[in-house]
Amino acid sequence: MRSSEGMPFSVVTGALWLDLVYTGGEGDRSCWEALHTPTDVAAWAHSSGVVSDPSAVRIDEADLRAAHRLRETLWDMANRLADGKLPTSDAVAHLNAVAQRADPVPQLVLRSGVLELDRGRNADGAQVLSAIARDAIALLSGPHADRVKRCAATDCALLFVDTSRPGARRWCAMSRCGNRDKARTRRRFEKG
Ligand SMILES: [Zn+2]
């Protein structure tokens, strides 16, 4: 991702489903849009580890629209969780519906004397999205259900799942908001 000043930075979101949220969205988030075509969805699924070979999945325009729709549900859900609220019943129903399909199947492959994982060969878009919905369901039913947080910087809306043991993570990225906060504290100190 890039800041408004064009500086690249990366956020450890702590969850696959939250990674999808960071691929863009509606309104202000459309400037981040990374999923323009079905091929983009396949490439993202590969880079996120959902499938091993992006050319071996079948994703069409309807899947692209479904990915955008799931992303809006997850965005809304993540913001509500960060505010200490439950997800809406519509969001829960949507997640459950998307998770109905089996997620991409893992297979072992012996290649040149080495065992490799080949996940999601011939999977379709519904299976890819199911993996993401299932990841969200796993979070909401697990010990980190109350760990969806918004960055502590007042001018930053980025969300993450705090998977640290003490649960004390405050920043989207230390290289971005954490260091800005340190600089502000230092300036306050210097001014006395
Ligand atoms: Zn931040």
Side-chain angles (χ1 to χ4, degrees), residues 45-169:
H46 169 62
S47 65
S48 303
V50 177
V51 299
S52 302
D53 180 354
S55 65
V57 287
R58 294 168 287 125
I59 295 178
D60 60 21
E61 290 290 338
D63 297 321
L64 174 65
R65 288 191 295 275
H68 287 172
R69 190 175 159 224
L70 178 62
R71 193 172 61 187
E72 290 311 302
T73 292
L74 295 174
W75 167 250
D76 181 63
M77 191 181 88
N79 276 286
R80 292 181 66 88
L81 291 168
D83 290 334
K85 298 176 190 162
L86 287 171
T88 64
S89 54
D90 281 355
V92 171
H94 184 199
L95 270 190
N96 287 341
V98 176
Q100 289 286 323
R101 282 294 304 277
D103 55 3
V105 177
Q107 300 278 274
L108 278 175
V109 181
L110 256 176
R111 202 174 278 142
S112 308
V114 182
L115 266 181
E116 291 180 358
L117 174 66
D118 185 24
R119 182 163 148 93
R121 185 153 299 275
N122 296 319
D124 59 25
Q127 287 178 275
V128 168
L129 296 185
S130 175
I132 298 156
R134 288 176 180 214
D135 185 64
I137 289 171
L139 177 95
L140 288 174
S141 57
H144 288 147
D146 61 353
R147 291 280 197 92
V148 179
K149 297 181 178 179
R150 189 176 292 110
C151 178
T154 51
D155 56 350
C156 181
L158 295 182
L159 302 165
F160 55 88
V161 179
D162 182 358
T163 56
S164 70
R165 191 182 286 267
R169 180 174 163 190

Side-chain angles (χ1 to χ4, degrees), residues 151 153 156 158 171-173 176-177 180:
C151 178
C156 181
L158 295 182
W171 311 110
C172 60
R176 185 174 130 96
C177 294
R180 284 196 304 152

